[in-house]
């Protein structure tokens, strides 16, 4: 996240201020009920400096006198804490719904791959451990990850979205998954004729992909059969 000056008025409507800051467009608003539940905060006090002060700032109840340097550290901790809570919140039903709405609105951008035809993407972390890797963009159509298109997103910690979020969202909303039976591929050609070695590689890749899809379908059918027997 961008390092934002402490001169901003963060003591009132902090979440509105945070979400409105440039570079934070990927985040959704966390419900007060989720923030007020101590169970949802389990373990975060050990990961965030000035945890209680940071939480007070997020909840708009900060009434402590402190010098400018300490205040700046508390604000930095509040931004980090919100990100860590955000990673948990977007895995809940309510959080998935909010991120689904942002996805449908195109708030996360589109896939840079030409043959994906501007398919919308989702933010994803390459690690659930903070400060390990910046956020990336995942495209369900080509099943690959990309760097965010704008520099202001390059400093967002990927742990604020986590490694599981996109895949839970597509499980919750399976109709968002595009048809992958015949993925569109770019095939190099010379005067309209396919290059032999590349064409052979493409056929091999498509064959392996089809075999994998058949194995997955067979596994799902077997699991469904077991469930029916159990019932």
């Amino acid at each position: 996240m961008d390092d934002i000056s402490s001169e901003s008025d963060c003591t009132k409507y902090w979440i509105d201020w945070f979400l409105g800051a440039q570079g934070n467009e990927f985040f959704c608003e966390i419900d007060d009920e989720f923030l007020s539940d101590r169970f949802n905060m389990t373990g975060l006090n050990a990961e965030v400096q000035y945890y209680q002060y940071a939480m007070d700032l997020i909840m708009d109840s900060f009434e402590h006198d402190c010098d400018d340097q300490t205040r700046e550290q508390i604000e930095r901790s509040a931004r980090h804490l919100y990100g860590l809570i955000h990673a948990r919140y977007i895995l809940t039903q309510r959080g998935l719904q909010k991120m689904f709405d942002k996805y449908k609105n195109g708030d996360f951008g589109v896939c840079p791959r030409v043959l994906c035809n501007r398919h919308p993407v989702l933010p994803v972390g390459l690690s659930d451990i903070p400060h390990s890797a910046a956020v990336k963009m995942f495209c369900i159509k080509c099943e690959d990850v990309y760097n965010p298109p704008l520099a202001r997103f390059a400093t967002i910690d990927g742990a604020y979205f986590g490694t599981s979020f996109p895949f839970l969202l597509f499980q919750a909303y399976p109709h968002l998954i595009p048809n992958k039976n015949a993925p569109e591929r770019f095939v190099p050609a010379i005067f309209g004729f396919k290059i032999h070695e590349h064409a052979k590689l493409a056929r091999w890749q498509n064959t392996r992909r089809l075999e994998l899809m058949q194995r997955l379908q067979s596994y799902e059918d077997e699991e469904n059969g077991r469930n029916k027997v159990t019932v």
Side-chain angles (χ1 to χ4, degrees), residues 46-117:
E47 298 187 41
V48 179
Q49 187 182 24
Y50 299 109
Y51 168 80
Q52 191 55 57
Y53 288 163
M55 180 58 72
D56 290 343
L57 192 58
I58 292 174
M59 298 293 289
D60 302 318
S61 59
F62 187 87
E63 298 178 352
H64 309 281
D65 293 328
C66 54
D67 56 55
D68 291 343
Q69 183 177 2
T70 302
R71 175 55 180 267
E72 184 177 354
Q73 292 175 339
I74 293 173
E75 290 177 357
R76 187 179 298 111
S77 293
R79 296 194 292 273
H80 181 49
L81 177 59
Y82 190 90
L84 296 177
I85 299 172
H86 185 268
R88 298 181 177 186
Y89 177 70
I90 60 176
L91 300 183
T92 66
Q93 182 177 1
R94 179 63 175 157
L96 287 171
Q97 176 64 53
K98 289 188 176 183
M99 295 298 275
F100 166 77
D101 292 339
K102 292 175 69 67
Y103 177 74
K104 294 296 289 182
N105 291 335
D107 293 352
F108 305 121
V110 297
C111 182
R113 182 175 179 268
V114 173
L115 294 182
C116 282
N117 298 315

Side-chain angles (χ1 to χ4, degrees), residues 110-173:
V110 297
C111 182
R113 182 175 179 268
V114 173
L115 294 182
C116 282
N117 298 315
R118 299 183 59 81
H119 197 277
V121 294
L122 284 168
V124 65
L126 300 183
S127 173
D128 293 312
I129 301 175
H131 313 305
S132 296
V135 68
K136 304 296 180 183
M137 312 312 297
F138 172 74
C139 174
I140 186 62
K141 192 169 185 178
C142 63
E143 298 183 340
D144 211 342
V145 295
Y146 303 88
N147 290 322
L150 300 177
R152 67 172 180 263
F153 300 128
T155 58
I156 299 177
D157 198 320
Y160 297 161
F161 298 88
T163 58
S164 302
F165 157 65
F167 316 107
L168 282 178
L169 186 138
F170 288 123
Q171 280 194 354
Y173 303 97

